[in-house]
């Protein structure tokens, strides 16, 4: 569950950062004369009306030392005055990048649960760093903040159900093809198996493998929600699926060549057309692979 929550956070991180940093930048004084701890605390008070499920607000000085105890609704969290946080990513990243940042999830020192910290540097009117304003929010609460609305959630569940049904139907077809592909020779002795049946079984099993690979990709991406690089998934699925089709068609063309050469030489042109189609598919796949590789180099 923790891994899944971290993945969900990774997918919606930009939304969470945009929202929290907007609140910090709108309510906290920055690049103004007379920047003080009191004005920052007033800004925290305004933000708390927007974000109710926060763990703690606190302020660091320019050197990363916490100025006062944290502001929190939980009495146990009102601690930390004088602690050195200069080695924390939310401090040195905010100082280095000179902008509001949102940290990766990490175990909170307050309760041990995973949390994230949003921090923003506070400058005076002379552009001198005075404070770092920070807000801790648990990973669970940050995910609730960025969750989609009810209608979108229901629609997402509906889509998952549809994809599951399609996967189940395709898997049934795959199973049927697999059984049809193997039963033709497992039910016979070796002496009674002819070459044509072997070719046909190979074609059927190749198509079954292509469909199974497609089912696996759809189920992982759309139902389970595994996150992969989108371009990599499309690339691998395309290559494997088209490759399986090319193999099946090539075997079918070879079988037709042998069949027509023996029984109907006048129809061998049809096999040649099929071989030509296979060649076109291979050229198209080669161009696709070359274009993808060239794009990756860039």
């Amino acid at each position: 569950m923790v891994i899944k929550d971290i993945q969900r956070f990774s997918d919606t991180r930009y939304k969470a950062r945009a929202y929290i940093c907007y609140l910090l930048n709108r309510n906290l004084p920055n690049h103004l004369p007379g920047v003080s701890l009191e004005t920052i605390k007033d800004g925290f008070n305004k933000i708390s009306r927007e974000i109710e499920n926060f763990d703690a607000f606190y302020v660091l000085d320019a050197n990363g030392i916490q100025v006062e105890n944290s502001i929190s609704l939980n009495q146990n969290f009102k601690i930390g005055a004088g602690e050195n946080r200069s080695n924390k990513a939310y401090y040195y990243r905010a100082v280095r990048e000179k902008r509001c940042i949102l940290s990766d999830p990490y175990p909170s020192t307050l309760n041990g649960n995973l949390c994230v910290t949003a921090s923003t540097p506070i400058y005076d009117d002379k552009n001198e760093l005075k404070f770092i304003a920070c807000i801790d929010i648990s990973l669970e609460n940050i995910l609730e903040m960025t969750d989609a609305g009810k209608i979108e959630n229901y629609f997402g569940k509906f889509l998952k159900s549809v994809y599951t049904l399609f996967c189940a139907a395709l898997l049934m077809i795959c199973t049927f093809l697999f059984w049809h592909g193997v039963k033709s020779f497992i039910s016979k002795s070796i002496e009674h198996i002819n070459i044509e049946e072997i070719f046909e079984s190979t074609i059927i099993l190749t198509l079954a493998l292509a469909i199974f690979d497609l089912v696996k990709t759809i189920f992982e991406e759309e139902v389970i929600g595994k996150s992969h690089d989108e371009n990599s998934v499309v690339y691998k699925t395309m290559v494997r699926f088209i490759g399986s089709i090319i193999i099946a068609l090539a075997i079918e063309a070879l079988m037709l060549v042998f069949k027509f050469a023996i029984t109907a030489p006048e129809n061998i042109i049809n096999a040649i057309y099929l071989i030509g189609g296979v060649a076109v598919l291979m050229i198209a796949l080669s161009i696709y692979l070359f274009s993808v590789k060239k794009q990756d180099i860039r």
Side-chain angles (χ1 to χ4, degrees):
M1 181 61 70
V2 172
I3 295 176
K4 189 174 182 180
D5 287 343
I6 293 175
Q7 183 58 59
R8 285 174 57 201
F9 172 75
S10 178
D11 294 338
T12 60
R13 179 176 187 154
Y14 71 97
K15 292 167 59 179
R17 179 189 173 277
Y19 176 61
I20 297 175
C21 289
Y22 165 74
L23 292 177
L24 289 173
N25 293 331
R26 187 185 69 176
N27 294 287
L28 298 182
N30 213 341
H31 298 284
L32 297 174
V35 171
S36 66
L37 185 60
E38 292 303 319
T39 56
I40 294 176
K41 291 166 69 174
D42 288 341
F44 282 160
N45 185 50
K46 296 176 183 178
I47 295 172
S48 65
R49 299 169 188 170
E50 301 282 346
I51 305 175
E52 298 179 354
N53 296 323
F54 66 92
D55 286 345
F57 291 111
Y58 49 97
V59 180
L60 313 179
D61 64 18
N63 296 316
I65 307 299
Q66 186 167 332
V67 179
E68 291 184 350
N69 284 334
S70 301
I71 300 171
S72 177
L73 299 176
N74 189 327
Q75 292 296 325
N76 296 326
F77 294 172
K78 295 181 178 182
I79 57 176
E83 289 192 19
N84 186 350
R85 303 185 186 275
S86 60
N87 62 337
K88 302 296 185 181
Y90 55 79
Y91 165 77
Y92 61 76
R93 278 190 58 202
V95 173
R96 182 183 62 200
E97 299 179 20
K98 298 181 178 181
R99 64 184 181 92
C100 178
I101 64 99
L102 186 65
S103 73
D104 295 325
Y106 66 93
S108 172
T109 56
L110 298 175
N111 55 18
N113 297 326
L114 287 179
C115 75
V116 297
T117 298
S119 58
T120 187
I122 305 295
Y123 297 90
D124 61 14
D125 57 332
K126 298 178 182 178
N127 206 33
E128 180 182 347
L129 179 64
K130 304 297 290 185
F131 302 103
I132 306 293
C134 306
I135 173 174
D136 287 353
I137 306 175
S138 69
L139 181 61
E140 181 181 358
N141 287 331
I142 203 78
L143 291 176
E144 288 181 1
M145 289 169 52
T146 56
D147 269 348
K150 289 185 178 180
I151 295 179
E152 190 172 348
N153 283 332
Y154 289 145
F155 184 66
K157 291 178 181 179
F158 169 74
L159 287 180
K160 283 188 177 183
S161 301
V162 172
Y163 277 118
T164 301
L165 291 174
F166 273 104
C167 287
L170 286 172
L171 189 60
M172 290 175 61
I173 294 173
C174 179
T175 304
F176 174 79
L177 288 174
F178 176 80
W179 171 245
H180 187 74
V182 298
K183 74 174 183 178
S184 59
F185 57 86
I186 63 174
S187 60
K188 298 180 181 180
S189 61
I190 298 178
E191 294 80 9
H192 293 91
I193 297 177
N194 57 51
I195 298 299
E196 184 175 345
E197 289 178 334
I198 293 177
F199 275 132
E200 290 178 350
S201 296
T202 304
I203 294 170
I204 293 173
L205 291 174
T206 304
L207 290 176
L209 179 61
I211 294 174
F212 178 78
D213 195 58
L214 181 62
V215 170
K216 174 178 172 292
T217 302
I218 294 175
F219 192 78
E220 286 183 344
E221 292 296 312
E222 303 297 342
V223 180
I224 298 178
K226 275 191 178 181
S227 180
H228 302 287
D229 180 74
E230 184 176 352
N231 292 332
S232 175
V233 170
V234 173
Y235 168 77
K236 290 180 180 179
T237 304
M238 178 73 72
V239 172
R240 294 165 84 174
F241 189 74
I242 298 298
S244 299
I245 292 176
I246 289 174
I247 292 172
L249 290 177
I251 295 172
E252 179 71 20
L254 181 62
M255 185 176 67
L256 288 177
V257 168
F258 291 150
K259 182 176 180 179
F260 290 148
I262 297 173
T263 60
E266 67 278 5
N267 293 328
I268 202 168
I269 188 65
N270 296 322
I272 295 175
Y273 290 152
L274 185 56
I275 293 173
V278 172
V280 171
L281 279 176
M282 292 183 67
I283 293 172
L285 183 60
S286 300
I287 295 173
Y288 172 75
L289 293 174
F290 176 77
S291 63
V292 170
K293 185 176 181 180
K294 189 174 181 180
Q295 186 177 6
D296 289 341
I297 293 175
R298 291 179 181 177

